[in-house]
Amino acid sequence: MHGFGFSSEVFKTFPGVKIDLPFHGNSKLKSKSLRALAQEIALRIPNNSTVVGWSMGGTLALLLALLFPSKVKALLLIGATACFPCLWDRKNLKGFLLRLRKEKEKFLKEFRERAYPKPFDAKVELEGALELLEDYFSTDLRSYISHINKPILLLHGTEDPIVPLRGALELYNLSRRAKLITFAGGHFPENEAIILKVLKGLKYL
């Protein structure tokens, strides 16, 4: 599951089911809250799935494991955190939403360049996507993490400008079954092979 402003195209070289989040790519999903979206996704994936989530998709994966544990065998979370709004001042979050509403595709392009190492162009219905983003900006799962009894592998860039490394460290400390692997880089690995390598290692956890 991808992050805000992108689509399942970021995982096109990966095996398995790719999901476009609501208002992103070719999504047929319509939920505007992460909790409702977790329910929609739970209906579409088999039991005991290894769930891969990047950024906002990582928080969504945590919700999925929490609310529908039979659906999740293990989690691989890239650039993810249990509480995104805990990492930024409220004025930063408000400013981000304001610029997105005002500058639309221009600011989205700027954000994509900061978040992803390659050129990216997929359609996003910003009005609906913004509602989902606002829910993400108010989601705090920290008090629930200890209830997720699944292996969690955290893959995080040491120079992540979107979800600072401390977000992954906090998640690691809150979980009983998490392992943290860092890579030199930003919000998404420049070399995607590292994700596939980590995915293969998940079966040994």
Side-chain angles (χ1 to χ4, degrees):
M1 299 185 291
H2 61 86
F4 169 79
F6 290 85
S7 77
S8 59
E9 277 288 298
V10 296
F11 294 121
K12 67 180 176 185
T13 60
F14 290 68
V17 178
K18 284 94 171 174
I19 295 171
D20 280 336
L21 301 189
F23 315 104
H24 293 73
N26 299 310
S27 184
K28 301 289 187 288
L29 305 171
K30 292 296 173 193
S31 296
K32 293 178 181 177
S33 79
L34 295 181
R35 188 173 284 265
L37 182 52
Q39 191 166 353
E40 271 197 281
I41 289 168
L43 294 169
R44 287 167 166 77
I45 64 171
N47 286 348
N48 283 322
S49 295
T50 296
V51 180
V52 181
W54 172 45
S55 198
M56 183 168 74
T59 301
L60 180 59
L62 287 168
L63 259 177
L64 198 60
L66 185 69
L67 300 173
F68 307 97
S70 65
K71 291 288 177 177
V72 178
K73 182 183 178 182
L75 297 173
L76 169 54
L77 309 181
I78 306 156
T81 179
C83 182
F84 184 77
C86 305
L87 301 171
W88 297 98
D89 287 341
R90 194 169 176 80
K91 64 180 181 183
N92 288 101
L93 299 178
K94 284 177 78 174
F96 187 94
L97 293 170
L98 194 67
R99 282 195 69 190
L100 204 47
R101 283 194 177 92
K102 192 177 175 183
E103 299 174 36
K104 296 186 166 55
E105 278 73 18
K106 180 177 177 284
F107 185 58
L108 178 63
K109 183 175 184 288
E110 189 182 309
F111 168 72
R112 282 173 166 172
E113 286 168 358
R114 287 191 75 209
Y116 191 66
K118 301 171 190 170
F120 192 88
D121 185 28
K123 64 177 181 179
V124 174
E125 294 171 43
L126 274 177
E127 201 173 312
L130 265 161
E131 289 190 55
L132 194 60
L133 185 65
E134 283 184 289
D135 187 61
Y136 176 55
F137 280 6
S138 62
T139 297
D140 181 356
L141 300 180
R142 290 175 300 173
S143 59
Y144 303 107
I145 298 303
S146 63
H147 300 293
I148 300 174
N149 190 26
K150 308 284 179 181
I152 301 175
L153 230 166
L154 305 169
L155 185 60
H156 214 98
T158 53
E159 304 300 322
D160 191 331
I162 311 298
V163 178
L165 181 58
R166 68 180 185 277
L169 287 168
E170 182 179 46
L171 181 48
Y172 169 76
N173 288 325
L174 289 169
S175 170
R176 290 172 292 166
R177 298 191 62 185
K179 292 187 185 299
L180 174 62
I181 297 169
T182 59
F183 62 90
H187 196 42
F188 193 93
E190 200 159 344
N191 179 6
E192 291 177 11
I194 189 175
I195 304 174
L196 289 164
K197 192 176 177 183
V198 169
L199 255 179
K200 285 177 184 169
L202 258 176
K203 62 185 173 190
Y204 301 111
L205 290 183

